[in-house]
Amino acid sequence: MVSADALFTAEGVTPVAVERVADGAHVTPAELRAVFPSKQALVVAALRYRHDEWMTALIAAEASFEDPRDQVLAVFSYLEDCFTDRSYRGCAFINGYGELGRLDPVVAGLANDHLRQLEQHIAMLCAAAEMPAHLAPALTLLVQGAQVEAAIHGNITPARTGRMAAAMLMSVYEAPSLF
């Protein structure tokens, strides 16, 4: 999956031949096709892999903070780390939907599932921080917008701007007093 994910991220799905994915994975095209009989099956597997990797890394970044409000802001710190990677080309799900989703309902469904799970995760963080559930979609929009802008601009500024905007939104819902 690493080979497919790297190639699809760098170049998009359409221009990447299955043979190149096989070469990058150090298997023959026949061996790859035995596991993934179609390019679409390979794309689906790569997107599932990307979702699992992304969510695992996001949760790990949040885990270094005890305060749920800091965990919300850690989402943007995680994005900043992603954006510093020179291979960052944008969110695989936004890019995949843009390239294939309007014509491929499976890819569209995976993009929708990823977004829904991210929003649910942020809603869980908001609940733990005793902030209203309606804040989660706004924070998710900041996350998604930061990913698009970082891909276009090629810098980390959108993560920092998103974190600042998130902190401003969160400040409306001050943490409960401990006294």
Side-chain angles (χ1 to χ4, degrees), residues 1 35-46 48:
M1 251 341 78
V35 178
F36 304 104
S38 68
K39 189 172 183 181
Q40 192 223 26
L42 186 59
V43 170
V44 167
R48 287 186 175 138

Side-chain angles (χ1 to χ4, degrees), residues 3 7 9 17 20 27 39 41 43 54 60 63 76 89 97 128 140 162 165 175:
S3 174
L7 285 167
T9 296
R20 288 187 57 216
V27 298
K39 189 172 183 181
V43 170
W54 199 83
F76 296 92
R89 300 288 182 267
Y97 182 83
T140 303

Side-chain angles (χ1 to χ4, degrees), residues 13 47 69 73-74 85:
V13 173
L47 285 171
R69 295 172 74 85
L73 296 176
D85 182 344

Side-chain angles (χ1 to χ4, degrees), residues 30-84:
E31 290 171 319
L32 186 66
R33 283 191 179 94
V35 178
F36 304 104
S38 68
K39 189 172 183 181
Q40 192 223 26
L42 186 59
V43 170
V44 167
L47 285 171
R48 287 186 175 138
Y49 166 82
R50 173 56 64 167
H51 172 77
D52 292 343
E53 290 291 308
W54 199 83
M55 289 301 294
T56 298
L58 175 63
I59 291 166
E62 296 163 359
S64 57
F65 297 94
E66 286 186 36
D67 185 327
R69 295 172 74 85
D70 291 335
Q71 290 176 342
V72 172
L73 296 176
V75 171
F76 296 92
S77 297
Y78 171 67
L79 289 178
E80 187 172 333
D81 289 343
C82 292
F83 301 165
T84 60

Side-chain angles (χ1 to χ4, degrees), residues 1-170:
M1 251 341 78
V2 175
S3 174
D5 181 52
L7 285 167
F8 295 156
T9 296
E11 300 176 29
V13 173
T14 305
V16 175
V18 172
E19 291 74 19
R20 288 187 57 216
V21 175
D23 187 51
H26 307 293
V27 298
T28 67
E31 290 171 319
L32 186 66
R33 283 191 179 94
V35 178
F36 304 104
S38 68
K39 189 172 183 181
Q40 192 223 26
L42 186 59
V43 170
V44 167
L47 285 171
R48 287 186 175 138
Y49 166 82
R50 173 56 64 167
H51 172 77
D52 292 343
E53 290 291 308
W54 199 83
M55 289 301 294
T56 298
L58 175 63
I59 291 166
E62 296 163 359
S64 57
F65 297 94
E66 286 186 36
D67 185 327
R69 295 172 74 85
D70 291 335
Q71 290 176 342
V72 172
L73 296 176
V75 171
F76 296 92
S77 297
Y78 171 67
L79 289 178
E80 187 172 333
D81 289 343
C82 292
F83 301 165
T84 60
D85 182 344
R86 291 209 178 276
S87 68
Y88 184 78
R89 300 288 182 267
C91 172
F93 297 91
I94 294 170
N95 293 345
Y97 182 83
E99 184 178 355
L100 305 170
R102 290 174 294 245
L103 302 174
D104 186 332
V106 175
V107 171
L110 289 170
N112 187 49
D113 289 346
H114 175 76
L115 182 57
R116 188 179 65 255
Q117 288 178 38
L118 175 62
E119 192 169 274
Q120 288 170 346
H121 179 75
I122 292 175
M124 177 204 59
L125 293 175
C126 287
E130 298 182 16
M131 293 184 293
H134 68 265
L135 197 56
L139 293 170
T140 303
L141 187 61
L142 289 172
V143 169
Q144 296 299 90
Q147 291 182 86
V148 170
E149 281 200 20
I152 292 169
H153 296 305
N155 63 47
I156 62 174
T157 302
R160 292 176 179 171
T161 303
R163 183 173 42 246
M164 179 184 64
M168 290 171 63
L169 280 172
M170 292 167 55

